[in-house]
Amino acid sequence: MAVEPMDLHAALAQYRASVRDRDPLDATQIEFINLGPLRDRYGARWPQVRERIFDVCDAFVKRRLAPGDLAVRAATGFLVLPGPGRTETAAAFTARIERELQAFFLGVEHLQSLQVQARHTPLPAACLLDALGSSAMEEAAQAHEAAAAPDEPAPPVLPDFELYFEPVWTAASGFVALHAAEPAGVSSLGAGLMRGHALAPSAGGAAMRMELDRRVLMAAARAWREGRGGAPGVLAAPVHYETLAQLKCRLPYLASFSALEEAERKAVMALIRASPVDAPYTRLTEVCRSAKALFPRVIVEIDLMKVKLDRFVDARADVFFFTAPGPAPFSAPALEAISRLSERAARLGARTAMGGCCDAAQLAAALDAGVHYISGPLTGEPARRARPPYQLDLTATAPGPQAQGRQAS
Amino acid sequence: MSQENGDLLRVVYLSTSLISRSPGAFRAEMASILEACARRNPRLGVTGVLIYERGRFVQLLEGPAEAVDALLDDIETDVRHGLFKILWRTRASRRLFENWSMAFMDAADAPALPDAATPWERASPVQLAARLAFAGKHLSVLSVPVSPASPAVNTADRPGSAYA
């Protein structure tokens, strides 16, 4: 239970009694849920909103505590004392709660609604995720989609798909430890084999893309779980920009994380696709931070020649991913764009990745411009299973940077 | 239907869900509805329970008359609601619900409702109140306390205590 100051001594006494028979190491594992990022976000307004934020967090934390667990308010967070019956580690337990808390609070849209519209209302932000991730919601949603409605036009159908995993090579290590997942299936509209978000008929709108993203996330986590015996490295799951940009799609998508195991959450990265070139700074920040709150890493797909990187200055993206700008030799503007991207991404603390790499000349140009990750035909075709991490020596076949520079000039 | 004298307005309506059956639409629209209700209703001092049952919405709203009527106007014109019908409208001096909550009644694991055989449309006010209180108490997936600063809140009754 999360406790008020007046109950603190009694709760601590009760907790001490509950862990009396445990060995000293177990009995002293205390973890801290850090709300520092929220304090930073609010800046000078933090003293005014602190109590309300804590009230919401208190309710959130309380719902996740089992009998015997204890959470105590501290200056910028909660001290969590896991009870003797909890099987997961204190660190894993608190990390899970912290990540879920940040998923809510770091969305600009949600913060605004808290500030402007609910000044005196203890909004049940955390409870919304619980409700949307509940089994009752799951059953109702499935029943709703399955119900026959003879007087309605047939709704668009999300076709079955299989996941393919494209190997991503890391220049620094020479290893392939990351695979990018992509769904592929046969469209119900008779359009043949479709990949990615093209699987979701446009008539279904953002909600249908969200549903595809949910199912892909679940399938990627399942694939990782099934391959865990072979240490499959990490996976990147695609998620459409609109899934994270629209609150009504973001909430169900984030709620689906409740079905994932802790280890699965750590092993799946977000690959945000289809970000509009003209998306505003606030929306890009909100989208990336929403993903960042639950995914360990966030990769953002960009248009190399059109991206406005200054709009990502507070997004905390980890990797900017672009597609190779045509066959080698790259044009001078393209080479300049790659170098500029690498430099500016580095200033943001991010890395760069190039997809669609076909040959050694493209590879050399990319490496010369500072690209960190490479994928495409050169690194291997997408496969039904993600292999355990393996070494791949691409540099042995690539011409030197100077040779590539001559080709481009 | 019995009429009470009081400062609160209590309304129960029934509507048909017009949410698209395409994949993802239900989750997205329910997220939108829940987020809006959870944010708005307590601030307005409106409590009650929203039930989704096999393609239909039933909601009890109670609070200041102006706020409840404004919400009803919004709901009646909401494209997600069709065949909107008021089942019970009355003045009340005390609330049946201290919170606003949401419940699913077609979930497989939901306990059987009292008097489940009676259609909503033919249920008496007492049956409606009992059924809604039961759902709010036992089937709720989300419960939002009304704001202490909101108008005309009378928390003398516990949620659903009159009928549960």
Side-chain angles (χ1 to χ4, degrees):
Chain A
M1 57 182 169
V3 295
E4 299 298 328
M6 68 177 68
D7 302 323
L8 182 60
H9 294 300
L12 282 172
Q14 188 180 3
Y15 180 78
R16 277 198 300 272
S18 75
V19 297
R20 186 172 297 150
D21 297 330
R22 303 186 72 188
D23 65 65
L25 182 66
D26 280 351
T28 55
Q29 61 167 341
I30 297 173
E31 288 290 334
F32 183 61
I33 295 176
N34 182 20
L35 300 182
L38 297 183
R39 183 192 54 194
D40 297 344
R41 181 70 174 271
Y42 277 101
R45 294 201 316 283
W46 175 247
Q48 286 87 49
V49 300
R50 180 180 177 278
E51 270 311 300
R52 191 155 41 83
I53 295 286
F54 263 80
D55 285 345
V56 176
C57 293
D58 201 81
F60 189 102
V61 172
K62 200 178 291 181
R63 290 175 68 91
R64 279 151 180 80
L65 298 183
D69 294 332
L70 181 65
V72 182
R73 284 191 186 194
T76 56
F78 289 82
L79 284 172
V80 176
L81 295 83
R86 184 164 291 282
T87 53
E88 66 184 329
T89 66
F93 177 48
T94 51
R96 175 160 59 87
I97 297 175
E98 189 173 290
R99 215 170 15 252
E100 291 173 1
L101 274 171
Q102 291 178 4
F104 274 108
F105 285 108
L106 294 183
V108 173
E109 198 175 349
H110 203 75
L111 285 173
Q112 285 175 341
S113 70
L114 272 173
Q115 293 162 9
V116 177
Q117 299 183 41
R119 190 168 299 280
H120 301 295
T121 303
L123 249 189
C127 304
L128 268 176
L129 269 191
D130 288 343
L132 295 168
S134 67
S135 58
M137 172 66 83
E138 178 72 25
E139 288 163 9
Q142 289 180 3
H144 180 83
E145 290 172 14
D151 53 341
E152 290 178 20
V157 176
L158 194 58
D160 293 335
F161 62 82
E162 292 189 332
L163 279 191
Y164 287 82
F165 297 94
E166 183 177 28
V168 180
W169 182 74
T170 305
S173 67
F175 269 78
V176 172
L178 164 67
H179 286 78
E182 185 171 50
V186 177
S187 163
S188 59
L189 301 175
L193 185 69
M194 309 286 279
R195 291 185 177 278
H197 288 104
L199 278 167
S202 57
M208 199 162 190
R209 286 194 297 267
M210 177 274 290
E211 184 62 18
L212 175 64
D213 288 335
R214 284 183 70 255
R215 295 184 190 183
V216 167
L217 176 66
M218 297 292 115
R222 192 165 55 245
W224 185 87
R225 185 168 63 243
E226 290 168 354
R228 185 158 43 183
V234 291
L235 305 175
V239 52
H240 197 281
Y241 170 86
E242 286 296 335
T243 294
L244 296 171
Q246 294 189 21
L247 188 65
K248 71 179 192 178
C249 293
R250 184 198 312 158
L251 288 173
Y253 182 72
L254 296 183
S256 63
F257 268 78
S258 61
L260 302 188
E261 295 176 8
E262 185 65 22
E264 292 164 1
R265 296 179 189 203
K266 289 178 180 171
V268 182
M269 303 179 181
L271 170 54
I272 301 174
R273 310 199 91 146
S275 300
V277 171
D278 291 325
Y281 151 86
T282 50
R283 188 51 64 94
L284 286 169
T285 303
E286 181 180 345
V287 162
C288 291
R289 287 194 179 193
S290 297
K292 185 79 175 175
L294 286 179
F295 289 96
R297 293 281 185 275
V298 173
I299 305 168
V300 183
E301 185 179 38
I302 56 164
D303 183 321
L304 175 66
M305 306 305 289
K306 296 179 181 172
V307 66
K308 294 166 180 165
L309 220 58
D310 55 326
R311 298 189 181 185
F312 287 91
V313 69
D314 288 323
R316 299 181 188 164
D318 295 289
V319 179
F320 292 100
F321 168 77
F322 63 94
T323 301
F330 294 149
S331 66
L335 276 174
E336 284 177 23
I338 297 173
S339 295
R340 192 167 58 246
L341 174 68
S342 293
E343 286 175 17
R344 299 182 69 188
R347 286 206 292 273
L348 297 178
R351 298 187 162 204
T352 49
M354 186 179 83
C357 184
C358 299
D359 55 41
Q362 284 184 333
L363 171 70
L367 295 182
D368 191 36
V371 175
H372 300 86
Y373 303 100
I374 301 291
S375 61
L378 190 67
T379 62
E381 294 297 325
R384 285 286 293 121
R385 289 180 65 87
R387 291 171 55 188
Y390 58 95
Q391 195 158 22
L392 182 63
D393 189 5
L394 293 180
T395 53
T397 59
Q402 290 176 344
Q404 170 62 25
R406 282 194 301 274
Q407 288 171 344
S409 60
Chain B
M1 292 184 186
S2 65
Q3 295 288 320
E4 299 175 57
N5 295 319
D7 298 329
L8 300 168
L9 177 62
R10 180 181 304 141
V11 175
V12 177
Y13 72 81
L14 171 72
S15 69
T16 303
S17 163
L18 297 183
I19 295 173
S20 162
R21 297 186 187 276
S22 63
F26 183 79
R27 291 178 202 278
E29 294 306 334
M30 290 306 294
S32 173
I33 290 170
L34 287 185
E35 194 276 335
C37 290
R39 173 167 45 80
R40 185 181 56 183
N41 292 2
R43 181 170 52 89
L44 295 173
V46 172
T47 56
V49 59
L50 170 65
I51 291 171
Y52 178 83
E53 184 199 41
R54 290 186 288 274
R56 297 195 299 180
F57 293 108
V58 182
Q59 183 163 208
L60 182 148
L61 295 168
E62 56 186 2
E66 192 175 328
V68 171
D69 275 331
L71 287 175
L72 288 171
D73 285 345
D74 287 348
I75 293 165
E76 195 169 1
T77 56
D78 190 319
V79 294
R80 295 168 295 201
H81 294 267
L83 302 177
F84 181 89
K85 183 178 182 182
I86 300 286
L87 301 182
W88 184 25
R89 181 184 177 98
T90 184
R91 286 281 177 177
S93 56
R94 291 190 301 180
R95 291 174 188 268
L96 297 178
F97 293 83
E98 187 177 278
N99 299 340
W100 182 86
S101 59
M102 201 273 154
F104 290 96
M105 281 180 43
D106 58 355
D109 58 351
L113 289 167
D115 197 23
T118 305
W120 287 104
E121 298 91 326
R122 280 190 269 157
S124 69
V126 172
Q127 285 176 310
L128 284 175
R131 197 181 287 189
L132 290 159
F134 181 89
K137 187 172 183 181
H138 297 291
L139 306 177
S140 170
V141 295
L142 176 67
S143 183
V144 188
V146 70
S147 165
S150 62
V153 176
N154 179 346
T155 55
D157 282 352
R158 304 308 301 170
S161 59
Y163 298 97

